[in-house]
């Protein structure tokens, strides 16, 4: 018998080697208590959270929490069914209305996760004879959506407008074409040149889908994302998003103005063949989304935090993923996995949690310490974070 697990041996070995140095497992941390969107108790100590996707700090918002409690009391703990059978409650319709209002779009469809939204929409609209032209650094859920639909995949170099155009021109003009982009790329926190890319895609007869998972709520005048900030939201055919980041709960969605959009509810397998979100989740999401419409002050503070952290880390001598802060994500580039893990642990011991990211999730084989800011981090907390980076960086030899 061939052990089907033997393909994981190199990864098992790499993991054992890393942990044999006595380093804490960076992928197995327990949040023992979560006090707020910015502070938790880990290993018994107060820890500043700088590695969550809680960009707008909605998880403890009193209105959001109250809406969840109310729905739990009135509708129970779960729907036990698919959206197309018994799983559409008033709350599912309400959250879809909130999304339509938030984006000022005609249609909104809610999935159980953002992963499923990409999986479902991409695989359903682009099939075997169609082409998907995508940035090579696209999220796993985008690649998995392409694979599920069996479309021809044409990747192009990250954020390279010319490469996108060249690929588009090589595809037969009559073929169905979907260009898939992200607003913010979550590993380095860099933003896509959507204005140019959407124009090039349209000029070459392609439909455009933009995943705004890491920009919703924060980027753009109304928090609609990078497509809004760059003035091309009306030319984008589909926006994918998630409730697991700025919205502060779990779930995924697609919004669109396409006149035939609603047919997806009958043909999209990751929508049809899975249970719908629990009533408490859609109630918290709807309340959060409506509050995000009116959060200009928080967006401004989050930008200030991002600029302060970026400038402070650079001044300390760390190498960062972007020249300028472009989003709420600031990636600190580590020389290798061992140093990255040591630095991650040193920061945790100082009382700071960040994400350790490594290949294959990261581009170009990089090891990153990913910092994601929250609109509720105070100026003092950002100062504390910089002090901790200075101490941990010197202790591990990352900076002098
Ligand atoms: C760009 C992007 N799209 C989709 C997702 C999936 O979102 P969810 O957590 O809702 O499944 C993520 C999650 O990290 C993401 O980064």
């Amino acid at each position: 018998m061939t052990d089907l697990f033997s393909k994981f041996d190199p990864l098992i070995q790499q993991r054992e080697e890393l942990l044999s140095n006595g380093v804490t497992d960076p992928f197995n941390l327990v949040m023992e208590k979560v006090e707020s969107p910015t502070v938790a108790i880990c290993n018994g100590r107060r820890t500043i959270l700088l590695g969550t996707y809680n960009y707008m700090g909605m998880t403890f918002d009193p209105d959001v929490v109250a809406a969840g409690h109310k729905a739990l009391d009135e509708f129970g703990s779960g729907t036990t069914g698919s959206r197309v059978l018994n799983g559409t409650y008033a709350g599912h319709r309400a959250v879809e209305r909130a999304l339509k209002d938030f984006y000022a779009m005609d249609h909104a469809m809610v999935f159980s996760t953002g992963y499923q939204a990409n999986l479902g929409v991409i695989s359903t609209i682009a099939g075997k004879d169609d082409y998907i032209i995508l940035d090579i650094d696209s999220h796993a859920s985008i690649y998995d959506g392409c694979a599920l639909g069996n479309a021809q995949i044409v990747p192009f170099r990250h954020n390279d407008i010319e490469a996108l155009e060249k690929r588009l021109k090589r595809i037969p003009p009559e073929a169905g074409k979907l260009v898939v982009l992200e607003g913010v790329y979550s590993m380095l926190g860099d933003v896509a040149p959507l204005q140019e890319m959407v124009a090039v895609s349209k000029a070459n007869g392609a439909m455009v889908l933009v995943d705004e998972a890491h920009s919703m709520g924060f980027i753009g005048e109304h928090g609609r994302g990078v497509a809004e900030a760059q003035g091309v939201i009306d030319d984008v055919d589909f926006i994918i998003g998630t409730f697991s980041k700025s919205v502060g709960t779990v779930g995924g969605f697609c919004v669109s103005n396409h006149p035939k959009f609603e047919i997806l509810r009958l043909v999209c397998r990751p929508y049809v063949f899975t249970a719908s979100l629990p009533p408490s989740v859609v109630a918290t999401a709807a309340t959060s989304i409506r509050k995000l419409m009116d959060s200009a002050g928080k967006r401004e503070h989050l930008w200030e935090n991002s600029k302060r952290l970026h400038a402070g880390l650079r001044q300390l001598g760390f190498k960062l993923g972007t020249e300028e802060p472009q989003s709420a994500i600031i990636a600190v580039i580590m020389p290798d996995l061992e140093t990255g893990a040591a630095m991650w642990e040193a920061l945790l011991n100082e009382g700071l949690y960040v994400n350790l990211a490594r290949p294959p999730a990261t581009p170009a084989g990089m090891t990153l310490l990913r910092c994601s800011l929250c609109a509720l981090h105070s100026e003092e907390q950002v100062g504390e974070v910089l002090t901790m980076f200075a101490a941990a960086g010197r202790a591990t030899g990352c900076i002098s």
Side-chain angles (χ1 to χ4, degrees), residues 123-135:
S123 66
T124 308
I125 62 180
K128 195 164 73 60
D129 299 322
D130 301 317
Y131 289 79
I132 298 176
I133 308 91
L134 81 174
D135 188 295

Side-chain angles (χ1 to χ4, degrees), residues 224-263:
R224 291 174 188 154
V226 178
E228 180 189 29
Q230 296 188 15
V232 290
I233 195 160
D234 292 338
D235 300 321
V236 170
D237 298 278
F238 310 97
I239 291 179
I240 294 285
T242 173
F243 297 161
S244 72
K245 307 192 194 306
S246 288
V247 177
T249 177
V250 67
F253 64 87
C254 180
V255 291
S256 174
N257 284 327
H258 196 291
K260 298 179 188 165
F261 185 77
E262 294 295 325
I263 196 65

Side-chain angles (χ1 to χ4, degrees), residues 13 26 42 47 49 101 130 160 172 193 208 217 250 257 309 334 387:
Q13 198 189 339
C42 302
T47 304
L49 299 174
D101 291 346
D130 301 317
D160 187 330
V208 180
V250 67
N257 284 327
L309 184 67
M334 291 285 108
T387 307

Side-chain angles (χ1 to χ4, degrees), residues 79-88 109-113 115-117 119-121 123-124 148 263-277:
T79 68
T80 72
S82 157
R83 284 296 302 274
V84 295
L85 296 172
N86 59 306
T88 295
M109 187 167 159
V110 165
F111 291 76
S112 298
T113 63
Y115 177 90
Q116 279 164 286
L119 198 66
V121 174
S123 66
T124 308
L148 187 67
I263 196 65
L264 287 182
R265 292 189 200 270
L266 296 182
V267 293
C268 179
R269 294 166 71 88
Y271 177 84
V272 174
F273 294 103
T274 196
S276 64
L277 287 167

Side-chain angles (χ1 to χ4, degrees), residues 24-25 98 137 145 209 238 396:
T24 310
D25 185 350
D137 288 350
L209 178 151
F238 310 97
T396 54

Side-chain angles (χ1 to χ4, degrees), residues 186-219:
S186 66
M187 287 299 136
L188 295 177
D190 56 332
V191 157
L194 286 188
Q195 198 176 41
E196 296 84 350
M197 287 188 157
V198 170
V200 159
S201 305
K202 293 281 147 174
N204 287 279
M207 286 188 150
V208 180
L209 178 151
V210 180
D211 181 334
E212 296 271 18
H214 293 274
S215 42
M216 181 197 183
F218 172 38
I219 295 182

